[in-house]
Amino acid sequence: MGAYRSAYERSIADPAGFWRDAAAGIDWVIPPERILDEEAAPLYRWFPDGVLNTCHNALDRHVAAGRGDQPALIHDSPVTGTVRTLTYAGLLAETARFAGALRRLGVGRGDRVLLYLAMVPEAVIAMLACARIGAVHSVVFGGFAAHELAVRIDDARPKVVVATSCGIEADRVVPYHPILAAALDEAAHAPERCVVVQRPQEPAPLVPGRDLTWAEVMADAEPAPCEPVAATDPLYVLYTSGTTGRPKGVVRDNGGHAVALRWSMRHVYGIEPGEVFWAASDVGWVVGHSYIVYAPLLTGATTVLYEGKPVGTPDAGAFWRVAAEHRVAALFTAPTAIRAIRRQDPDGEHITRYDLSALRTLFLAGERLDPDTWAWAGQRLGVPVVDNWWQTETGWPVAATRAAWSRCRSSRGRRRCRCPATTCAWSTARPAGPRRRPRARRSRAPAPSATPA
């Protein structure tokens, strides 16, 4: 509690100093002298005179530091029956080449690239490649309807679209290319090129003169170096769902984003370099942007990209199989996923089939975490279940249980933390068995003030 209290109070009393220290976790081409620009308040700008490259911070610096052989990305796809691991060196090589391919297609700093991809490694590579050359990516959730895709194409006005030929569900293949073709017919803006990742389950017919395959553009692409960009330059545009009207594009900058996400991995999620973090989400949502792609890689951790469901691929033990096989230290998902698992496996029998000794924490966010789901997960897994709250507009948590500041190692496995429940959120874990149902504790501690997201 003392570590949390001191961090929180400093963030209130000296936000510039607090985030200056946090910015030391990022490599800068030109380190920022100004931390917070308040001239246009309440429209604040973070690190306005700093220069960096997000891709360098996510890949190059870790390879240079000797982590080249460490797994960076594990693509686990039960729907195709494959697992593919890319090391930091391998992911850097693929990213640099695709960045070179984008440059050859005329994409430069500030240009937009729209990504309409399934949960495949090429999605991560394309995002990082855009960051590498200073382009702005806009990811649209794979399978979105043609009209919704057309609206986003007209708003973002991408120079290039990158798409997979299809997505794969547990019981069907979803062709993406017909959706993209219909969206391009409807949209007023016409991208110059479309790059298609051809999947063997449903290859797409190509339009001559516009469409190229991923394999084609990568075949003779020259690796591109990192382009230094201002901290205030945009990294990506991510559209809200549009349930309240026309979808709104949230523009995230490079500097504040990198600093905040790197800081959050240690202080909110408790993850250090070399550990395995799994956000069971989709790259089309903000959780996927922040905690599948950028935050784990900025940290030097290993991230899991999962192409499957919590149930049905093949059963309610899917999450526990992935966590066990890849030695996941922290799992981040939505309460809905845990409710679906609980519905099919109320006694947690699938949990007992797997070695989950590496799993320290289950993080849940994205919607209300009801007390029954919180209690069931804590009892069955025997690890802390930590709620956190945020949204597309913030990019990372603005409120979270203060678990990471009081990270009590005695809460590992099925042993219960001995800290007083009033001071350590990690004491909320309960071992499985006929114990008294824990009382739900919904209190949250605020994140540090004036955060640079």
Side-chain angles (χ1 to χ4, degrees), residues 25 62 84 153 240-241 269 287 310 369 406:
H62 301 309
R84 178 187 177 194
I153 289 171
T240 58
S241 63
Y269 298 102
V287 172
L369 172 57
S406 50

Side-chain angles (χ1 to χ4, degrees), residues 9 32 44 111 125 324:
E9 289 180 350
Y44 299 98
D111 289 330
I125 293 166

Side-chain angles (χ1 to χ4, degrees), residues 144-170:
F144 252 29
H147 173 71
E148 299 302 326
L149 182 56
V151 168
R152 288 155 173 78
I153 289 171
D154 276 341
D155 193 74
R157 303 183 64 79
K159 181 167 282 191
V160 170
V161 171
V162 184
T164 40
S165 61
C166 67
I168 303 171
E169 301 288 345

Side-chain angles (χ1 to χ4, degrees), residues 277-313:
F277 185 80
W278 176 24
S281 181
D282 191 284
V283 293
W285 308 130
V286 70
V287 172
H289 279 55
S290 294
Y291 292 105
I292 294 176
V293 182
Y294 286 110
L297 297 178
L298 288 166
T299 299
T302 299
T303 187
V304 178
L305 181 73
Y306 177 66
E307 190 180 20
K309 303 292 183 184
V311 297
T313 56

Side-chain angles (χ1 to χ4, degrees), residues 15-16 34-48 450:
R34 296 184 67 192
I35 305 304
L36 177 60
D37 179 358
E38 303 178 86
E39 291 180 359
L43 302 177
Y44 299 98
R45 290 158 60 89
W46 287 93
F47 315 110

